[in-house]
Amino acid sequence: MTTDTPARLLTLLSLLQTPREWPGGELAGRLGVSRRTVRRDIERLRELGYPVQATKGADGGYRLVAGKAMPPLVLDDEEAVAIAVGLRAGAGHAVEGVDEASVRALAKLEQVLPSRLRHRVATLQAAVTPLTHGDGPGIAPETLTVMASTVAGRERLRFAYRAGDGTCTRRLTEPYRLVSTGRRWYLVAYDLDRDDWRTFRVDRVSEPLATGARFTPRELPEGSAAEYLRRSMQRRNDSYELVVAFAAPAETVAARLPGWLGRPEAADDGSCVLRTTASGSLEWMAVRLAMLGLDFRVRQPEELVRHVRDLGERMVRAAATEEEG
């Protein structure tokens, strides 16, 4: 019999988070208490914000349902390890959909993982080789989790940084946001030594250290971290002006575009045009535009037009039958 009420509530919550309906008698048997105690414990969970639904009948059942807010989850060892391994695998590459929120979740989870589970996570990840990788440079998940923790905690971050020309420096920053472009992670931060805002490629960061010193966030010069990163790329030598016309409404295109590319401008005929600054591989940009699943025409740069044409011809050849080829 579980006489410790907090421990019993956690056990009850863990059972209810299994996607099924639990008869009151079965819960009472699992917990070693009376059905009346189960009913009182259910009321306590509801008071804590857990939406527990009850059904009537000879042996009334209970089920945890979706509510207005996300209550804390209770995970067993295997569930915690599985989630951590999955998040770490995704965080190593700037895969769209695995953005700052996912990295923050990984940071929170790893912060509270017992050492035995942290060791299991590291062992599992070391033993598994993924069949596919993101096309951007790999990043140690530990680097991202340290950065995400300092962003969330408004804590100064120190790290070593290797510039594009190979120069290595030490930086002390006030981290603002992590931004994923779909190929790379970037840190937008205020550089205290240079007394100015900077963007850092996370794959060039090493030895990240949370200093423990808190700070009051400064106001970013641009409206958002993604916009600031876009403007920063515009000032770099490897950037280019991107103009793409889409045969679809601006809202449809914006929903499929990564935020760092900005928003397209609507046209009167229901189409739209994206005018922005981008950087990096033109081959990857051609593939990224094709992945949108929308009809489009690249207006500039001319080099990207050629890459899109070559990609289209290659796809046509790949889809050709033996009779056609």
Side-chain angles (χ1 to χ4, degrees):
M1 176 177 178
T2 307
T3 57
D4 181 10
T5 301
R8 192 176 65 245
L9 286 176
L10 286 175
T11 303
L12 174 59
L13 182 57
S14 179
L15 292 171
L16 290 173
Q17 286 178 345
T18 303
R20 55 162 289 192
E21 183 171 295
W22 289 87
E26 187 174 349
L27 288 176
R30 289 288 192 106
L31 299 173
V33 297
S34 67
R35 296 188 185 188
R36 183 178 179 183
T37 299
V38 169
R39 288 195 294 271
R40 286 202 302 264
D41 287 347
I42 291 293
E43 286 305 315
R44 292 190 180 100
L45 289 179
R46 288 169 175 163
E47 291 171 1
L48 292 171
Y50 291 91
V52 182
Q53 186 180 73
T55 57
K56 297 179 180 180
D59 193 14
Y62 301 95
R63 177 192 295 271
L64 192 64
V65 298
K68 295 181 179 179
M70 177 69 183
L73 294 175
V74 177
L75 304 173
D76 61 28
D77 286 4
E78 285 69 26
E79 291 167 341
V81 168
I83 292 173
V85 170
L87 287 173
R88 284 169 66 95
H93 296 274
V95 182
E96 287 183 50
V98 184
D99 54 13
E100 186 194 352
S102 300
V103 177
R104 288 201 311 270
L106 175 60
K108 290 178 181 179
L109 181 58
E110 294 203 338
Q111 181 180 358
V112 298
L113 278 180
S115 58
R116 70 179 191 283
L117 298 186
R118 200 173 292 118
H119 176 71
R120 284 177 59 184
V121 171
T123 301
L124 268 173
Q125 190 173 32
V128 174
T129 300
L131 181 62
T132 59
H133 294 274
D135 59 357
I139 302 168
E142 294 84 357
T143 298
L144 282 171
T145 55
V146 170
M147 288 184 163
S149 296
T150 57
V151 169
R154 299 178 178 179
E155 185 177 351
R156 287 181 177 176
L157 174 70
R158 190 185 299 277
F159 54 85
Y161 190 70
R162 175 180 51 81
D165 60 4
T167 303
C168 294
T169 55
R170 301 288 301 181
R171 303 297 184 96
L172 178 62
T173 65
E174 294 177 352
Y176 184 78
R177 288 288 187 277
L178 283 165
V179 181
S180 168
T181 66
R183 295 185 65 246
R184 295 190 178 101
W185 282 103
Y186 289 86
L187 173 70
V188 176
Y190 191 85
D191 191 323
L192 293 170
D193 295 324
R194 289 154 180 77
D195 195 25
D196 199 3
W197 289 92
R198 291 288 190 273
T199 59
F200 302 95
R201 273 180 50 175
V202 176
D203 59 292
R204 294 177 177 171
V205 169
S206 60
E207 304 172 46
L209 174 66
T211 64
R214 307 290 176 178
F215 65 90
T216 301
R218 303 168 190 261
E219 185 176 352
L220 193 67
E222 307 294 342
S224 68
E227 178 65 17
Y228 181 82
L229 175 62
R230 191 182 69 81
R231 294 290 180 89
S232 177
M233 288 179 170
Q234 185 175 358
R235 294 189 289 267
R236 295 176 183 171
N237 294 330
D238 62 346
S239 65
Y240 52 87
E241 293 301 313
L242 177 66
V243 180
V244 183
F246 292 92
E251 296 77 11
T252 302
V253 177
R256 303 190 186 189
L257 280 176
W260 63 274
L261 274 176
R263 293 185 62 85
E265 304 168 4
D268 293 337
D269 60 356
S271 63
C272 64
V273 178
L274 175 68
R275 293 183 175 87
T276 188
T277 301
S279 66
S281 167
L282 288 166
E283 292 92 336
W284 175 85
M285 182 59 71
V287 173
R288 185 64 188 85
L289 290 171
M291 289 171 60
L292 295 177
L294 300 169
D295 290 340
F296 67 92
R297 181 180 296 277
V298 176
R299 294 180 179 173
Q300 68 178 69
E302 188 59 37
E303 296 88 343
L304 180 57
V305 174
R306 290 196 291 270
H307 283 300
V308 170
R309 184 182 300 117
D310 291 344
L311 176 64
E313 292 173 353
R314 194 175 304 120
M315 293 298 100
V316 169
R317 290 195 298 272
T321 63
E322 286 189 17
E323 293 77 8
E324 292 173 330

